[in-house]
Amino acid sequence: EDKVVQSPLSLVVHEGDTVTLNCSYEVTNFRSLLWYKQEKKAPTFLFMLTSSGIEKKSGRLSSILDKKELSSILNITATQTGDSAIYLCAGSPGYMDSNYQLIWGAGTKLIIKP
Amino acid sequence: NAGVTQTPKFQVLKTGQSMTLQCAQDMNHNSMYWYRQDPGMGLRLIYYSASEGTTDKGEVPNGYNVSRLNKREFSLRLESAAPSQTSVYFCASNQRSEQFFGPGTRLTVL
């Protein structure tokens, strides 16, 4: 059965700290791993990773995929209160019908204290 | 482009009532999805449509039906609402792996 597990489930840090969020996956014919940020509304796309070891960066956020370990991390440096959100990880399996379903983790709730 | 739109944004139902949640996308995507999200549970797939004319059950389909009216529109129907269906419902669409989400519908069943 396909599954994606995120850890920790919740995290509270102070502004300026660096955080690392974890995602492990078991996904049929793995295609890619995606990270989303969810504030008080719909999830918004952050990164998609398909190749192992290649880091994707956007400002203070970065992510890397380890295909050998079937895992990914999302790093946020110099955190700000605006980074407070739920961070969702999803695996994209390669099903035979070309359906692009995503298998979602439960999310990590990140709270940044001023 | 409006992206993915959903109506209504909020709804309160009594147990046993029925309603339809509407979703439309203007990105010419083949695949569309309905999720529900409950606290601490992440996104759970209710139904999906890989292409116009096809629909399939996801992880939690009981109590729901869907219609893929055309390539743009994918509706979710609750025939007889139950308190366990109180949740936030998201519609999403994609062409490849990245999914785009609508703003969500917050549904309360009393």
Side-chain angles (χ1 to χ4, degrees):
Chain A
E1 183 186 341
D2 294 334
K3 65 179 179 182
V4 172
V5 178
Q6 292 186 246
S7 63
L9 291 181
S10 66
L11 186 58
V12 180
V13 300
H14 286 98
E15 209 168 14
D17 288 349
T18 293
V19 297
T20 298
L21 310 183
N22 301 287
C23 175
S24 63
Y25 63 89
E26 292 178 31
V27 168
T28 306
N29 296 333
F30 173 82
R31 278 191 180 125
S32 59
L33 188 125
L34 294 89
W35 285 97
Y36 282 77
K37 178 182 181 181
Q38 185 178 23
E39 296 171 90
K40 291 184 176 157
K41 44 190 188 310
T44 54
F45 174 76
L46 291 174
F47 300 114
M48 182 167 72
L49 302 151
T50 56
S51 299
S52 194
I54 294 176
E55 187 177 21
K56 291 272 184 98
K57 289 193 76 168
S58 177
R60 296 175 294 102
L61 277 67
S62 64
S63 183
I64 195 161
L65 178 70
D66 186 336
K67 275 189 172 178
K68 187 176 174 186
E69 296 296 326
L70 304 182
S71 66
S72 176
I73 58 171
L74 176 69
N75 278 325
I76 310 175
T77 59
T79 51
Q80 302 171 357
T81 54
D83 295 325
S84 295
I86 296 173
Y87 290 84
L88 295 163
C89 170
S92 176
Y95 295 143
M96 293 298 289
D97 63 358
S98 299
N99 172 30
Y100 282 87
Q101 276 190 62
L102 294 176
I103 310 300
W104 294 88
T108 293
K109 185 173 184 178
L110 177 64
I111 298 172
I112 311 295
K113 288 190 169 183
Chain B
N1 284 353
V4 181
T5 57
Q6 287 182 239
T7 55
K9 286 191 167 54
F10 301 94
Q11 184 72 49
V12 179
L13 294 177
K14 294 181 180 178
T15 297
Q17 288 185 315
S18 62
M19 79 161 294
T20 299
L21 281 64
Q22 307 286 354
C23 174
Q25 51 92 9
D26 62 2
M27 296 174 281
N28 202 36
H29 287 163
N30 285 329
S31 301
M32 297 184 74
Y33 307 82
W34 276 105
Y35 293 98
R36 60 178 287 173
Q37 187 176 36
D38 304 296
M41 300 283 291
L43 291 163
R44 292 189 291 169
L45 183 64
I46 304 171
Y47 270 93
Y48 66 95
S49 171
S51 60
E52 186 179 355
T54 69
T55 61
D56 281 290
K57 295 178 180 179
E59 181 186 353
V60 289
N62 290 346
Y64 306 95
N65 283 301
V66 290
S67 296
R68 184 75 183 266
L69 304 168
N70 47 54
K71 193 170 187 179
R72 288 188 65 247
E73 297 171 289
F74 188 38
S75 63
L76 178 72
R77 183 158 178 85
L78 287 71
E79 290 291 351
S80 179
S84 61
Q85 294 177 305
T86 293
S87 189
V88 179
Y89 292 84
F90 289 104
C91 177
S93 71
N94 68 353
Q95 192 73 6
R96 294 285 180 183
S97 292
E98 181 187 345
Q99 287 188 6
F100 296 84
F101 286 83
T105 296
R106 187 172 292 275
L107 175 66
T108 302
V109 183
L110 303 175

